[in-house]
Amino acid sequence: MGCTICSSEKYFEVGTKNRCRIVQCASCGFYYLDPLPTVEKVDEIYGEYWANHKNIGNAKRKIGRFKRKIWRLTKLTSGREFLDIGCNIGFAVEAARRLGCSATGIDLSSEAIAIATDLFPANRFFNVSSQDFVSTGKSFDIIVCSEVIEHLTEVHSFMHSIGCLLKQGGFLYLTTPDAGHFRVPNDFLSWDAVIPPEHTGFFTKKIIKQLFAEHGLRVVYFQPMLKPNIRVVARRVSTACN
């Protein structure tokens, strides 16, 4: 298979971890699993995701943390239609509601959506992919996507769906591990963010910026981070979802 990002078939061998082969694209520098997990494996991982129940005990702290992040986003736009893609058990969605947003969350884990619906019934939650959610015709002023993109096997279709779900001029806040950070160890496989098969791809700021531009999003800023994590705010600047 070719690179998930640029489709180049030239790569450097990185090594094997958790019985998964990891390579680096010789063209764009993207690290990815080769081969990618099967649909069946993805369903197995996220049908009953290990973090779902663990996170319940952290509800107050996580809602407070998301409120601070989302509050800054609400200052960028007068719109209050909010979507969390990969919402897990709903902390960011609830935080957005408390800030006056009309809040929706989607996730591939049916278990996570059931928990979220029970914990935060004032919000809307759907067990659906972003690609399938596009068919509803809904659009949003603010989209949050926290620690999701590194799990995906279809990055470009995912980014296209964000372009469709985000209103013209709307804002995306996305986080993911930063493979280009100075604190990533020289032995890439020893980095604690390399968790195959859950994590299938490893991004840098340069790759994120190029990927966003390809799908009609312009980076507003990258938040400076001491830890190897990308936190980026981008705005939709394309005129249409094709």
Side-chain angles (χ1 to χ4, degrees):
M1 60 167 284
C3 172
T4 310
I5 302 299
C6 71
S7 300
S8 171
E9 296 185 357
K10 296 181 180 180
Y11 58 83
F12 304 111
E13 195 80 33
V14 177
T16 301
K17 188 172 184 179
N18 298 344
R19 295 187 293 180
C20 296
R21 178 174 175 249
I22 299 172
V23 300
Q24 182 182 23
C25 177
S27 179
C28 71
F30 186 61
Y31 292 89
Y32 61 97
L33 303 192
D34 183 21
L36 290 168
T38 63
V39 173
E40 291 75 20
K41 184 62 178 178
V42 171
D43 289 343
E44 177 186 331
I45 293 171
Y46 300 111
E48 295 184 0
Y49 192 45
W50 63 271
N52 292 343
H53 294 282
K54 177 184 176 182
N55 285 335
I56 293 176
N58 297 322
K60 184 176 181 180
R61 177 174 61 84
K62 285 183 174 289
I63 290 172
R65 182 181 297 174
F66 275 117
K67 278 186 72 175
R68 292 190 291 273
K69 295 175 181 178
I70 296 167
W71 178 83
R72 289 193 289 268
L73 296 172
T74 63
K75 299 305 174 184
L76 299 174
T77 175
S78 60
R80 290 296 181 269
E81 291 292 334
F82 174 91
L83 174 67
D84 183 5
I85 298 176
C87 66
N88 191 246
I89 60 175
F91 299 134
V93 180
E94 176 62 11
R97 185 192 68 81
R98 295 184 186 185
L99 289 168
C101 295
S102 175
T104 301
I106 61 174
D107 200 283
L108 289 179
S109 170
S110 56
E111 180 185 63
I113 291 299
I115 295 171
T117 301
D118 184 58
L119 288 176
F120 309 116
N123 302 305
R124 296 177 295 276
F125 295 100
F126 301 96
N127 177 208
V128 65
S129 69
S130 62
Q131 291 93 324
D132 289 338
F133 197 55
V134 168
S135 66
T136 64
K138 298 181 183 297
S139 60
F140 300 85
D141 304 290
I142 299 170
I143 294 179
V144 165
C145 182
S146 183
E147 308 301 300
V148 171
I149 197 170
E150 68 273 13
H151 294 260
L152 303 178
T153 59
E154 297 181 355
V155 174
H156 282 287
S157 68
F158 174 74
M159 289 305 306
H160 178 75
S161 71
I162 288 180
C164 293
L165 292 167
L166 191 60
K167 291 181 182 179
Q168 177 73 10
F171 290 88
L172 167 70
Y173 174 75
L174 181 142
T175 75
T176 189
D178 184 359
H181 196 276
F182 70 92
R183 294 184 67 178
V184 172
N186 291 330
D187 177 11
F188 187 77
L189 295 179
S190 69
W191 183 26
D192 60 8
V194 180
I195 317 171
E198 289 183 31
H199 291 182
T200 63
F202 307 91
F203 297 81
T204 64
K205 290 179 181 178
K206 180 180 178 181
I207 291 172
I208 286 290
K209 188 174 183 178
Q210 293 173 342
L211 180 65
F212 280 20
E214 188 172 342
H215 292 279
L217 299 166
R218 184 178 65 221
V219 170
V220 178
Y221 64 85
F222 288 100
Q223 182 177 334
M225 298 293 298
L226 289 176
K227 295 182 179 181
N229 188 258
I230 293 171
R231 296 183 183 180
V232 58
V233 172
R235 188 176 189 180
R236 183 183 166 194
V237 294
S238 64
T239 57
C241 171
N242 298 316

